[in-house]
Coordinates of all heavy atoms in Angstrom, one line a residue:
M1 N -15.4 2.8 15.5 CA -15.2 1.4 15.7 C -13.9 1.0 14.9 O -13.8 1.5 13.8 CB -16.3 0.6 15.3 CG -17.4 0.6 16.3 SD -18.6 -0.8 15.9 CE -20.1 0.1 15.9
T2 N -13.2 0.1 15.5 CA -12.0 -0.4 14.8 C -12.4 -1.5 13.9 O -13.4 -2.1 14.0 CB -10.9 -0.8 15.8 OG1 -11.5 -2.0 16.5 CG2 -10.6 0.2 16.8
S3 N -11.5 -1.8 13.0 CA -11.8 -2.9 12.1 C -11.8 -4.3 12.8 O -12.5 -5.2 12.4 CB -10.7 -3.0 11.0 OG -9.4 -3.2 11.5
A4 N -11.1 -4.4 13.9 CA -11.1 -5.6 14.7 C -12.5 -5.8 15.3 O -13.0 -7.0 15.3 CB -10.1 -5.6 15.8
V5 N -13.1 -4.8 15.8 CA -14.5 -4.9 16.3 C -15.5 -5.2 15.3 O -16.4 -6.1 15.4 CB -14.9 -3.6 17.1 CG1 -16.3 -3.6 17.5 CG2 -14.0 -3.4 18.3
L6 N -15.4 -4.6 14.1 CA -16.3 -4.8 13.0 C -16.1 -6.2 12.4 O -17.0 -6.8 12.0 CB -16.1 -3.8 11.9 CG -16.5 -2.4 12.3 CD1 -16.0 -1.4 11.3 CD2 -18.0 -2.3 12.4
T7 N -14.9 -6.8 12.5 CA -14.6 -8.2 12.1 C -15.4 -9.1 12.9 O -15.9 -10.1 12.4 CB -13.1 -8.5 12.2 OG1 -12.4 -7.6 11.4 CG2 -12.8 -9.9 11.9
R8 N -15.6 -8.8 14.2 CA -16.4 -9.7 15.1 C -17.9 -9.5 15.0 O -18.7 -10.4 15.3 CB -15.9 -9.6 16.5 CG -14.5 -10.1 16.7 CD -13.8 -9.7 18.0 NE -12.5 -10.2 18.1 CZ -11.4 -9.6 17.6 NH1 -11.5 -8.5 16.9 NH2 -10.2 -10.1 17.8
I9 N -18.3 -8.3 14.7 CA -19.7 -7.9 14.6 C -20.4 -8.7 13.4 O -21.5 -9.2 13.6 CB -19.9 -6.4 14.5 CG1 -19.6 -5.8 15.8 CG2 -21.4 -6.1 14.1 CD1 -19.7 -4.3 15.8
A10 N -19.8 -8.7 12.3 CA -20.4 -9.3 11.1 C -20.8 -10.8 11.3 O -21.9 -11.1 10.9 CB -19.4 -9.1 9.9
P11 N -19.9 -11.7 11.8 CA -20.4 -13.1 11.9 C -21.5 -13.2 13.0 O -22.3 -14.1 12.9 CB -19.1 -13.8 12.3 CG -18.1 -12.8 12.6 CD -18.5 -11.5 12.1
V12 N -21.5 -12.4 14.0 CA -22.5 -12.5 15.0 C -23.9 -12.1 14.4 O -24.9 -12.8 14.6 CB -22.2 -11.6 16.2 CG1 -23.4 -11.4 17.2 CG2 -21.0 -12.1 17.0
A13 N -23.9 -11.0 13.6 CA -25.1 -10.6 12.9 C -25.5 -11.7 11.9 O -26.7 -11.9 11.7 CB -24.9 -9.3 12.2
A14 N -24.5 -12.4 11.3 CA -24.9 -13.5 10.3 C -25.5 -14.6 11.0 O -26.5 -15.2 10.5 CB -23.6 -13.9 9.6
V15 N -25.0 -15.0 12.2 CA -25.6 -16.1 13.0 C -27.0 -15.7 13.4 O -28.0 -16.5 13.3 CB -24.7 -16.5 14.2 CG1 -25.5 -17.4 15.1 CG2 -23.5 -17.1 13.7
L16 N -27.2 -14.4 13.8 CA -28.6 -14.0 14.2 C -29.5 -14.0 13.0 O -30.7 -14.4 13.1 CB -28.5 -12.6 14.8 CG -27.9 -12.5 16.1 CD1 -27.7 -11.0 16.6 CD2 -28.7 -13.2 17.2
A17 N -29.0 -13.7 11.8 CA -29.8 -13.7 10.6 C -30.2 -15.2 10.3 O -31.3 -15.5 9.9 CB -29.0 -13.2 9.4
A18 N -29.2 -16.1 10.5 CA -29.5 -17.5 10.3 C -30.6 -18.0 11.2 O -31.5 -18.8 10.9 CB -28.3 -18.4 10.5
V19 N -30.6 -17.5 12.5 CA -31.6 -17.9 13.5 C -33.0 -17.4 13.0 O -34.0 -18.1 13.0 CB -31.2 -17.4 14.9 CG1 -32.4 -17.5 15.8 CG2 -30.0 -18.1 15.4
W20 N -33.0 -16.2 12.5 CA -34.3 -15.6 12.0 C -34.7 -16.4 10.8 O -35.9 -16.6 10.6 CB -34.2 -14.1 11.8 CG -34.4 -13.3 13.0 CD1 -33.4 -12.7 13.8 CD2 -35.6 -13.1 13.7 NE1 -34.0 -12.1 14.9 CE2 -35.4 -12.3 14.8 CE3 -37.0 -13.4 13.4 CZ2 -36.4 -11.9 15.6 CZ3 -38.0 -13.0 14.2 CH2 -37.7 -12.2 15.3
F21 N -33.8 -16.7 9.9 CA -34.2 -17.4 8.6 C -34.7 -18.8 9.0 O -35.6 -19.3 8.2 CB -33.0 -17.5 7.7 CG -32.7 -16.3 6.9 CD1 -31.4 -15.8 6.8 CD2 -33.7 -15.6 6.3 CE1 -31.1 -14.7 6.0 CE2 -33.4 -14.4 5.5 CZ -32.1 -14.0 5.4
S22 N -34.2 -19.4 10.0 CA -34.7 -20.7 10.4 C -36.1 -20.8 10.9 O -36.7 -21.8 11.0 CB -33.8 -21.4 11.4 OG -33.9 -20.7 12.6
A23 N -36.7 -19.6 11.1 CA -38.1 -19.6 11.6 C -39.0 -20.1 10.5 O -40.1 -20.7 10.8 CB -38.5 -18.2 12.0
G24 N -38.7 -19.8 9.2 CA -39.5 -20.3 8.1 C -40.8 -19.6 7.8 O -41.6 -20.0 7.1
D25 N -40.9 -18.3 8.3 CA -42.0 -17.5 8.1 C -41.6 -16.2 7.5 O -40.4 -15.9 7.4 CB -42.9 -17.3 9.3 CG -42.1 -16.7 10.5 OD1 -40.9 -16.4 10.3 OD2 -42.8 -16.4 11.5
T26 N -42.6 -15.4 7.1 CA -42.3 -14.1 6.5 C -41.6 -13.1 7.5 O -40.6 -12.4 7.1 CB -43.6 -13.4 6.0 OG1 -44.3 -14.3 5.1 CG2 -43.3 -12.1 5.3
R27 N -42.0 -13.1 8.7 CA -41.4 -12.2 9.7 C -39.9 -12.6 9.9 O -39.0 -11.7 9.9 CB -42.1 -12.3 11.0 CG -41.6 -11.3 12.1 CD -42.3 -11.5 13.3 NE -42.1 -12.8 13.9 CZ -42.2 -13.1 15.1 NH1 -42.6 -12.2 16.0 NH2 -41.9 -14.4 15.6
G28 N -39.6 -13.9 9.9 CA -38.2 -14.4 10.1 C -37.4 -14.0 8.8 O -36.2 -13.6 8.9
A29 N -38.0 -14.1 7.7 CA -37.3 -13.8 6.4 C -37.0 -12.3 6.4 O -35.9 -11.9 6.0 CB -38.1 -14.2 5.2
L30 N -37.9 -11.5 6.8 CA -37.6 -10.0 6.8 C -36.6 -9.6 7.8 O -35.7 -8.8 7.5 CB -38.9 -9.2 7.0 CG -40.0 -9.3 5.9 CD1 -41.3 -8.6 6.3 CD2 -39.4 -8.7 4.7
A31 N -36.7 -10.2 9.0 CA -35.7 -9.9 10.0 C -34.3 -10.4 9.6 O -33.3 -9.7 9.8 CB -36.1 -10.5 11.4
G32 N -34.3 -11.6 9.1 CA -33.0 -12.2 8.6 C -32.4 -11.4 7.5 O -31.2 -11.1 7.5
S33 N -33.2 -10.9 6.6 CA -32.7 -10.0 5.5 C -32.2 -8.7 6.0 O -31.1 -8.2 5.6 CB -33.8 -9.7 4.5 OG -34.3 -10.9 3.9
A34 N -32.8 -8.1 7.0 CA -32.3 -6.9 7.6 C -31.0 -7.1 8.3 O -30.0 -6.3 8.2 CB -33.3 -6.3 8.6
L35 N -30.8 -8.2 9.0 CA -29.6 -8.6 9.6 C -28.5 -8.9 8.6 O -27.3 -8.5 8.8 CB -29.8 -9.7 10.6 CG -30.4 -9.4 11.9 CD1 -30.9 -10.6 12.7 CD2 -29.5 -8.6 12.8
L36 N -28.9 -9.5 7.5 CA -27.9 -9.7 6.5 C -27.4 -8.4 5.8 O -26.2 -8.3 5.5 CB -28.5 -10.6 5.4 CG -27.6 -11.5 4.6 CD1 -26.7 -12.3 5.4 CD2 -28.4 -12.4 3.7
G37 N -28.3 -7.5 5.7 CA -27.9 -6.1 5.3 C -26.9 -5.5 6.3 O -25.9 -4.8 5.9
A38 N -27.1 -5.7 7.6 CA -26.2 -5.2 8.6 C -24.8 -5.9 8.5 O -23.8 -5.3 8.7 CB -26.8 -5.5 10.0
V39 N -24.8 -7.2 8.1 CA -23.6 -7.9 7.9 C -22.8 -7.2 6.7 O -21.6 -6.9 6.8 CB -23.8 -9.4 7.5 CG1 -22.5 -10.0 7.1 CG2 -24.4 -10.1 8.7
L40 N -23.5 -6.9 5.6 CA -22.8 -6.3 4.5 C -22.3 -4.9 4.9 O -21.2 -4.5 4.5 CB -23.8 -6.2 3.3 CG -24.2 -7.5 2.7 CD1 -25.3 -7.3 1.7 CD2 -23.1 -8.3 2.2
L41 N -23.1 -4.1 5.7 CA -22.7 -2.8 6.1 C -21.4 -2.9 7.0 O -20.5 -2.2 6.9 CB -23.8 -2.1 6.9 CG -23.5 -0.8 7.4 CD1 -23.2 0.2 6.3 CD2 -24.6 -0.3 8.3
A42 N -21.4 -3.9 7.9 CA -20.3 -4.1 8.8 C -19.0 -4.5 8.0 O -17.9 -4.0 8.3 CB -20.6 -5.1 9.9
E43 N -19.2 -5.3 7.0 CA -18.1 -5.7 6.2 C -17.5 -4.5 5.4 O -16.3 -4.3 5.3 CB -18.5 -6.8 5.2 CG -18.6 -8.1 5.8 CD -17.3 -8.7 6.4 OE1 -16.2 -8.5 5.7 OE2 -17.3 -9.3 7.4
R44 N -18.4 -3.7 4.9 CA -17.9 -2.4 4.2 C -17.2 -1.5 5.1 O -16.1 -0.9 4.8 CB -19.1 -1.7 3.6 CG -19.6 -2.3 2.3 CD -18.6 -1.9 1.2 NE -19.2 -2.4 0.0 CZ -18.6 -2.5 -1.1 NH1 -17.3 -2.2 -1.1 NH2 -19.1 -3.0 -2.2
M45 N -17.7 -1.3 6.3 CA -17.1 -0.4 7.3 C -15.8 -1.0 7.7 O -14.8 -0.3 8.0 CB -18.0 -0.2 8.5 CG -19.3 0.6 8.2 SD -20.5 0.7 9.5 CE -19.5 1.3 10.8
R46 N -15.7 -2.3 7.9 CA -14.4 -3.0 8.3 C -13.4 -2.8 7.2 O -12.2 -2.4 7.5 CB -14.6 -4.5 8.5 CG -13.3 -5.1 9.0 CD -13.3 -6.6 8.7 NE -13.3 -6.9 7.3 CZ -12.3 -6.9 6.4 NH1 -11.1 -6.5 6.9 NH2 -12.5 -7.2 5.2
A47 N -13.8 -2.9 5.9 CA -12.8 -2.7 4.8 C -12.3 -1.3 4.8 O -11.2 -1.0 4.6 CB -13.5 -3.1 3.5
A48 N -13.2 -0.3 5.1 CA -12.8 1.1 5.1 C -11.9 1.4 6.2 O -11.0 2.1 6.1 CB -14.1 2.0 5.1
A49 N -12.2 0.8 7.4 CA -11.4 1.1 8.6 C -10.0 0.4 8.4 O -9.0 0.9 9.0 CB -12.1 0.5 9.8
A50 N -9.9 -0.7 7.7 CA -8.6 -1.4 7.5 C -7.9 -0.9 6.3 O -6.8 -1.4 6.1 CB -8.9 -2.9 7.4
A51 N -8.4 0.1 5.6 CA -7.7 0.6 4.4 C -6.4 1.2 4.8 O -6.3 1.9 5.7 CB -8.6 1.6 3.7
G52 N -5.4 0.8 4.0 CA -4.0 1.3 4.3 C -3.2 0.5 5.3 O -2.0 0.7 5.4
R53 N -3.9 -0.4 6.0 CA -3.2 -1.2 7.0 C -3.1 -2.6 6.5 O -4.1 -3.1 5.9 CB -3.9 -1.2 8.3 CG -3.8 0.1 9.1 CD -4.3 0.0 10.5 NE -4.7 -1.4 10.9 CZ -5.7 -1.7 11.6 NH1 -6.6 -0.8 11.9 NH2 -6.0 -3.0 12.0
R54 N -2.0 -3.3 6.6 CA -1.8 -4.6 6.1 C -1.5 -5.6 7.3 O -0.4 -5.9 7.5 CB -0.7 -4.7 5.1 CG -0.9 -3.9 3.9 CD -2.0 -4.3 3.0 NE -1.8 -5.7 2.6 CZ -2.7 -6.4 2.0 NH1 -3.9 -5.9 1.8 NH2 -2.4 -7.6 1.6
D55 N -2.5 -5.9 8.0 CA -2.4 -6.8 9.1 C -2.9 -8.2 8.6 O -4.1 -8.4 8.5 CB -3.2 -6.4 10.4 CG -3.0 -7.3 11.6 OD1 -2.1 -8.2 11.5 OD2 -3.6 -7.0 12.6
A56 N -2.0 -9.1 8.3 CA -2.3 -10.4 7.7 C -3.2 -11.2 8.6 O -4.2 -11.9 8.2 CB -1.1 -11.2 7.4
L57 N -3.0 -11.2 9.9 CA -3.8 -12.0 10.9 C -5.2 -11.5 10.9 O -6.2 -12.3 10.9 CB -3.1 -12.0 12.2 CG -3.9 -12.8 13.3 CD1 -4.0 -14.3 12.9 CD2 -3.3 -12.6 14.7
E58 N -5.4 -10.2 10.9 CA -6.7 -9.6 11.0 C -7.5 -9.9 9.7 O -8.7 -10.2 9.7 CB -6.6 -8.1 11.2 CG -8.0 -7.5 11.5 CD -7.9 -6.0 11.8 OE1 -6.9 -5.7 12.5 OE2 -8.8 -5.3 11.4
E59 N -6.8 -9.8 8.5 CA -7.4 -10.1 7.3 C -7.8 -11.6 7.2 O -8.9 -11.9 6.7 CB -6.5 -9.8 6.1 CG -6.4 -8.3 5.8 CD -7.7 -7.7 5.4 OE1 -8.5 -8.3 4.6 OE2 -8.1 -6.6 6.0
W60 N -7.0 -12.5 7.7 CA -7.3 -13.9 7.7 C -8.5 -14.2 8.6 O -9.4 -14.9 8.2 CB -6.1 -14.7 8.2 CG -6.3 -16.2 8.4 CD1 -6.3 -17.1 7.4 CD2 -6.7 -16.8 9.6 NE1 -6.7 -18.3 7.9 CE2 -6.9 -18.2 9.3 CE3 -6.9 -16.4 10.9 CZ2 -7.3 -19.1 10.2 CZ3 -7.3 -17.3 11.8 CH2 -7.4 -18.6 11.5
L61 N -8.5 -13.6 9.8 CA -9.6 -13.7 10.7 C -10.9 -13.2 10.0 O -12.0 -13.9 10.2 CB -9.3 -13.0 12.0 CG -10.4 -13.1 13.1 CD1 -10.5 -14.6 13.5 CD2 -10.1 -12.3 14.3
A62 N -10.9 -12.1 9.4 CA -12.0 -11.5 8.7 C -12.6 -12.5 7.6 O -13.8 -12.7 7.5 CB -11.7 -10.2 8.1
V63 N -11.7 -13.1 6.9 CA -12.1 -14.1 5.8 C -12.7 -15.3 6.4 O -13.8 -15.8 6.0 CB -10.9 -14.4 4.9 CG1 -11.2 -15.6 4.0 CG2 -10.5 -13.2 4.1
V64 N -12.1 -15.9 7.5 CA -12.6 -17.1 8.1 C -13.9 -16.8 8.8 O -14.9 -17.6 8.6 CB -11.5 -17.6 9.1 CG1 -12.2 -18.7 10.0 CG2 -10.3 -18.1 8.4
L65 N -14.0 -15.7 9.5 CA -15.3 -15.4 10.2 C -16.4 -15.1 9.2 O -17.6 -15.4 9.4 CB -15.1 -14.3 11.2 CG -14.3 -14.7 12.4 CD1 -14.2 -13.4 13.3 CD2 -14.9 -15.8 13.2
G66 N -16.0 -14.5 8.1 CA -17.0 -14.2 7.0 C -17.5 -15.4 6.4 O -18.7 -15.6 6.2
R67 N -16.7 -16.4 6.1 CA -17.1 -17.7 5.6 C -18.0 -18.4 6.5 O -19.0 -19.0 6.2 CB -15.9 -18.6 5.2 CG -15.1 -18.1 4.1 CD -15.9 -18.0 2.8 NE -15.1 -17.5 1.7 CZ -15.1 -16.2 1.3 NH1 -15.8 -15.3 1.9 NH2 -14.3 -15.8 0.3
L68 N -17.6 -18.5 7.8 CA -18.5 -19.1 8.8 C -19.8 -18.5 8.9 O -20.8 -19.2 9.1 CB -17.8 -19.1 10.2 CG -16.6 -20.0 10.3 CD1 -15.9 -19.8 11.7 CD2 -16.9 -21.5 10.1
G69 N -19.9 -17.1 8.8 CA -21.2 -16.5 8.8 C -22.0 -16.8 7.6 O -23.2 -17.1 7.7
E70 N -21.4 -16.9 6.4 CA -22.1 -17.3 5.2 C -22.6 -18.8 5.4 O -23.8 -19.0 5.0 CB -21.2 -17.3 4.0 CG -20.9 -15.9 3.5 CD -20.0 -15.9 2.3 OE1 -20.0 -16.8 1.5 OE2 -19.3 -14.9 2.2
Y71 N -21.8 -19.7 5.9 CA -22.3 -21.0 6.1 C -23.5 -21.1 7.1 O -24.4 -21.9 6.9 CB -21.2 -21.9 6.6 CG -20.0 -22.0 5.7 CD1 -18.7 -22.3 6.1 CD2 -20.1 -21.7 4.3 CE1 -17.6 -22.4 5.3 CE2 -19.0 -21.8 3.4 CZ -17.8 -22.1 3.9 OH -16.7 -22.2 3.1
A72 N -23.4 -20.3 8.1 CA -24.5 -20.3 9.1 C -25.8 -19.8 8.4 O -26.9 -20.3 8.7 CB -24.1 -19.4 10.3
V73 N -25.7 -18.7 7.6 CA -26.9 -18.2 6.9 C -27.4 -19.3 6.0 O -28.7 -19.5 6.0 CB -26.5 -16.9 6.1 CG1 -27.6 -16.5 5.2 CG2 -26.2 -15.8 7.1
Y74 N -26.6 -20.0 5.2 CA -27.1 -21.1 4.4 C -27.8 -22.1 5.2 O -28.9 -22.7 4.8 CB -26.0 -21.7 3.5 CG -25.5 -20.8 2.4 CD1 -24.2 -20.6 2.2 CD2 -26.4 -20.1 1.6 CE1 -23.7 -19.8 1.2 CE2 -25.9 -19.2 0.6 CZ -24.6 -19.1 0.4 OH -24.1 -18.3 -0.6
A75 N -27.2 -22.5 6.3 CA -27.9 -23.5 7.2 C -29.2 -23.0 7.7 O -30.2 -23.8 7.7 CB -26.9 -23.9 8.3
G76 N -29.2 -21.8 8.1 CA -30.5 -21.2 8.6 C -31.6 -21.2 7.5 O -32.7 -21.4 7.8
L77 N -31.2 -20.8 6.3 CA -32.1 -20.8 5.2 C -32.6 -22.2 4.9 O -33.8 -22.4 4.6 CB -31.5 -20.2 3.9 CG -31.3 -18.7 3.9 CD1 -30.4 -18.3 2.8 CD2 -32.7 -18.0 3.8
A78 N -31.7 -23.2 5.0 CA -32.2 -24.6 4.7 C -33.1 -25.1 5.8 O -34.1 -25.7 5.5 CB -30.9 -25.5 4.7
V79 N -32.8 -24.8 7.1 CA -33.7 -25.2 8.2 C -35.1 -24.5 8.0 O -36.1 -25.1 8.1 CB -33.1 -24.9 9.5 CG1 -34.1 -25.0 10.7 CG2 -31.9 -25.8 9.8
G80 N -35.0 -23.2 7.7 CA -36.3 -22.5 7.5 C -37.1 -23.0 6.4 O -38.3 -23.1 6.4
G81 N -36.4 -23.3 5.3 CA -37.1 -23.9 4.1 C -37.7 -25.3 4.4 O -38.8 -25.6 4.0
A82 N -36.9 -26.1 5.2 CA -37.4 -27.4 5.5 C -38.7 -27.3 6.5 O -39.6 -28.0 6.3 CB -36.3 -28.2 6.2
L83 N -38.6 -26.3 7.4 CA -39.8 -26.1 8.3 C -41.0 -25.6 7.6 O -42.1 -25.8 8.0 CB -39.4 -25.2 9.5 CG -38.4 -25.8 10.5 CD1 -38.0 -24.7 11.5 CD2 -38.9 -27.0 11.2
A84 N -40.7 -24.8 6.5 CA -41.8 -24.3 5.7 C -42.4 -25.3 4.8 O -43.4 -25.0 4.1 CB -41.4 -23.0 5.0
G85 N -41.8 -26.5 4.7 CA -42.3 -27.5 3.8 C -41.6 -27.7 2.5 O -42.1 -28.4 1.6
E86 N -40.6 -26.9 2.2 CA -39.8 -27.0 1.0 C -39.0 -28.3 1.0 O -38.1 -28.4 1.8 CB -38.9 -25.8 0.8 CG -38.2 -25.8 -0.5 CD -39.0 -25.8 -1.7 OE1 -40.0 -25.1 -1.8 OE2 -38.7 -26.6 -2.7
A87 N -39.3 -29.2 0.1 CA -38.7 -30.5 0.1 C -37.2 -30.5 -0.3 O -36.4 -31.2 0.2 CB -39.4 -31.5 -0.8
D88 N -36.8 -29.5 -1.1 CA -35.4 -29.5 -1.6 C -34.6 -28.4 -1.0 O -33.6 -28.0 -1.5 CB -35.5 -29.2 -3.1 CG -36.1 -30.4 -3.9 OD1 -36.0 -31.5 -3.4 OD2 -36.7 -30.1 -5.0
A89 N -35.0 -28.0 0.2 CA -34.2 -26.9 0.9 C -32.8 -27.2 1.1 O -31.9 -26.4 0.9 CB -34.9 -26.5 2.2
W90 N -32.5 -28.5 1.6 CA -31.1 -28.9 1.9 C -30.3 -29.0 0.6 O -29.1 -28.7 0.6 CB -31.1 -30.1 2.7 CG -31.6 -29.9 4.1 CD1 -32.8 -30.2 4.7 CD2 -30.8 -29.2 5.1 NE1 -32.8 -29.7 6.0 CE2 -31.6 -29.2 6.3 CE3 -29.5 -28.7 5.2 CZ2 -31.2 -28.6 7.5 CZ3 -29.1 -28.2 6.4 CH2 -29.9 -28.1 7.5
A91 N -31.0 -29.5 -0.5 CA -30.2 -29.6 -1.7 C -29.9 -28.2 -2.3 O -28.7 -28.0 -2.8 CB -31.1 -30.3 -2.7
W92 N -30.7 -27.2 -2.1 CA -30.4 -25.9 -2.6 C -29.3 -25.3 -1.7 O -28.4 -24.6 -2.2 CB -31.7 -25.0 -2.5 CG -32.6 -25.2 -3.7 CD1 -33.8 -25.9 -3.7 CD2 -32.4 -24.7 -5.0 NE1 -34.3 -25.9 -4.9 CE2 -33.5 -25.2 -5.8 CE3 -31.4 -24.0 -5.6 CZ2 -33.6 -24.9 -7.1 CZ3 -31.5 -23.7 -7.0 CH2 -32.6 -24.2 -7.7
A93 N -29.3 -25.5 -0.4 CA -28.3 -25.0 0.4 C -26.9 -25.7 0.1 O -25.9 -25.0 0.1 CB -28.6 -25.3 1.9
A94 N -26.9 -27.0 -0.2 CA -25.7 -27.6 -0.5 C -25.2 -27.1 -1.9 O -24.0 -26.9 -2.0 CB -25.9 -29.1 -0.6
G95 N -26.1 -26.9 -2.8 CA -25.7 -26.3 -4.1 C -25.1 -24.9 -3.9 O -24.1 -24.6 -4.6
A96 N -25.7 -24.1 -3.0 CA -25.1 -22.8 -2.8 C -23.7 -22.8 -2.2 O -22.8 -22.1 -2.6 CB -26.1 -22.0 -1.9
L97 N -23.5 -23.8 -1.3 CA -22.2 -24.0 -0.7 C -21.2 -24.4 -1.7 O -20.0 -24.0 -1.7 CB -22.2 -24.9 0.5 CG -22.9 -24.4 1.7 CD1 -23.0 -25.4 2.8 CD2 -22.1 -23.2 2.3
I98 N -21.6 -25.3 -2.6 CA -20.7 -25.8 -3.7 C -20.3 -24.6 -4.6 O -19.2 -24.5 -5.0 CB -21.3 -27.0 -4.5 CG1 -21.4 -28.2 -3.5 CG2 -20.6 -27.3 -5.7 CD1 -22.3 -29.3 -4.1
A99 N -21.3 -23.8 -5.0 CA -21.1 -22.7 -5.8 C -20.1 -21.7 -5.1 O -19.2 -21.1 -5.8 CB -22.4 -22.0 -6.2
L100 N -20.3 -21.5 -3.8 CA -19.4 -20.6 -3.1 C -18.0 -21.2 -3.1 O -17.0 -20.4 -3.3 CB -19.9 -20.5 -1.6 CG -19.1 -19.6 -0.7 CD1 -19.1 -18.2 -1.2 CD2 -19.6 -19.7 0.7
A101 N -17.8 -22.5 -2.9 CA -16.5 -23.1 -2.9 C -15.8 -22.9 -4.3 O -14.6 -22.6 -4.4 CB -16.6 -24.5 -2.5
L102 N -16.6 -23.2 -5.3 CA -16.1 -23.0 -6.7 C -15.6 -21.6 -7.0 O -14.6 -21.3 -7.6 CB -17.1 -23.5 -7.7 CG -17.3 -25.0 -7.8 CD1 -18.4 -25.3 -8.7 CD2 -16.0 -25.7 -8.2
R103 N -16.5 -20.6 -6.5 CA -16.1 -19.2 -6.7 C -14.8 -18.9 -6.0 O -13.9 -18.2 -6.6 CB -17.2 -18.3 -6.2 CG -16.9 -16.8 -6.4 CD -17.8 -15.9 -5.6 NE -17.3 -16.1 -4.2 CZ -17.9 -15.5 -3.2 NH1 -18.9 -14.7 -3.3 NH2 -17.4 -15.7 -1.9
D104 N -14.7 -19.3 -4.8 CA -13.5 -19.0 -4.0 C -12.3 -19.7 -4.7 O -11.2 -19.1 -4.7 CB -13.6 -19.5 -2.6 CG -14.6 -18.6 -1.8 OD1 -14.9 -17.5 -2.2 OD2 -15.1 -19.1 -0.7
S105 N -12.4 -20.9 -5.2 CA -11.3 -21.6 -5.8 C -10.9 -20.8 -7.1 O -9.7 -20.6 -7.3 CB -11.7 -23.0 -6.2 OG -12.0 -23.7 -5.1
V106 N -11.8 -20.3 -7.9 CA -11.5 -19.6 -9.1 C -10.8 -18.3 -8.7 O -9.8 -17.9 -9.3 CB -12.7 -19.4 -9.9 CG1 -12.5 -18.4 -11.1 CG2 -13.2 -20.7 -10.5
L107 N -11.3 -17.6 -7.8 CA -10.7 -16.3 -7.4 C -9.3 -16.5 -6.8 O -8.4 -15.7 -7.1 CB -11.6 -15.6 -6.4 CG -13.0 -15.1 -6.9 CD1 -13.8 -14.4 -5.8 CD2 -12.7 -14.1 -8.0
E108 N -9.1 -17.5 -6.0 CA -7.8 -17.8 -5.5 C -6.8 -18.1 -6.6 O -5.7 -17.7 -6.6 CB -7.9 -18.9 -4.4 CG -6.5 -19.2 -3.8 CD -6.0 -18.0 -2.9 OE1 -6.8 -17.2 -2.5 OE2 -4.8 -17.9 -2.8
G109 N -7.3 -19.0 -7.5 CA -6.4 -19.3 -8.7 C -6.0 -18.1 -9.5 O -4.9 -18.0 -9.9
E110 N -7.0 -17.2 -9.7 CA -6.7 -16.0 -10.5 C -5.7 -15.1 -9.7 O -4.8 -14.5 -10.3 CB -8.0 -15.3 -10.8 CG -8.8 -15.9 -11.9 CD -10.1 -15.2 -12.1 OE1 -10.4 -14.2 -11.4 OE2 -10.9 -15.7 -13.0
A111 N -5.9 -15.0 -8.4 CA -5.0 -14.2 -7.6 C -3.6 -14.7 -7.6 O -2.6 -14.0 -7.7 CB -5.5 -14.1 -6.2
R112 N -3.5 -16.0 -7.5 CA -2.1 -16.6 -7.6 C -1.5 -16.5 -8.9 O -0.2 -16.3 -9.0 CB -2.2 -18.1 -7.1 CG -2.5 -18.2 -5.7 CD -2.3 -19.6 -5.2 NE -2.7 -19.8 -3.9 CZ -1.8 -19.9 -2.9 NH1 -0.6 -19.9 -3.1 NH2 -2.3 -20.0 -1.6
R113 N -2.2 -16.6 -10.0 CA -1.7 -16.4 -11.3 C -1.2 -15.0 -11.6 O -0.2 -14.8 -12.2 CB -2.7 -16.8 -12.4 CG -2.2 -17.0 -13.7 CD -3.2 -17.5 -14.7 NE -4.4 -18.0 -14.1 CZ -5.6 -17.8 -14.6 NH1 -5.7 -17.2 -15.8 NH2 -6.6 -18.3 -14.1
A114 N -2.0 -14.0 -11.0 CA -1.6 -12.6 -11.2 C -0.5 -12.2 -10.3 O 0.2 -11.2 -10.6 CB -2.8 -11.8 -11.0
A115 N -0.2 -12.9 -9.2 CA 0.8 -12.5 -8.3 C 2.2 -12.7 -8.8 O 2.4 -13.8 -9.4 CB 0.6 -13.2 -6.9
P116 N 3.1 -11.8 -8.6 CA 4.5 -12.1 -9.1 C 5.1 -13.1 -8.3 O 4.9 -13.3 -7.1 CB 5.2 -10.7 -8.9 CG 4.4 -10.0 -7.8 CD 3.0 -10.5 -8.0
V117 N 6.0 -13.9 -8.9 CA 6.7 -15.0 -8.2 C 8.0 -14.6 -7.6 O 8.7 -13.8 -8.0 CB 6.9 -16.2 -9.2 CG1 7.6 -17.3 -8.5 CG2 5.5 -16.7 -9.7

C-alpha cells in the first residue's frame, strides 16, 4: 500500500472507532479500542512508506486527517460516556481537546525555534 492510501485509511478507522465508542457499552469500547489500534498501525505504516519522500501536500493532508480522526474519537467517547450516564463526559472531552491543542502549540513553537531562519 502507498502512503497516500494509508493516509486515507487512518481517519476512516478513527471515525469507525468513534462510532463504536459512542455505543457506551463494553463491546463498543473494545471494538473502538481495536479500531484505534488499527489507526496507530496505519499511521506507522504510512510514516514508513513515506520515509525518504518529502511531499508537503501529502504530509499536510496526513496531519489534517489525523487531527480530524482524533476529534471524531473524542466526540465518540463523549457521546458514549453521556449515554452511559457519565455526567462530565463532555467536559472531559473538551479538556482532552484543549490539552491536544496546547501540545500541538508547544511542539510547533519548538519546531519553529529549532528551524534555521
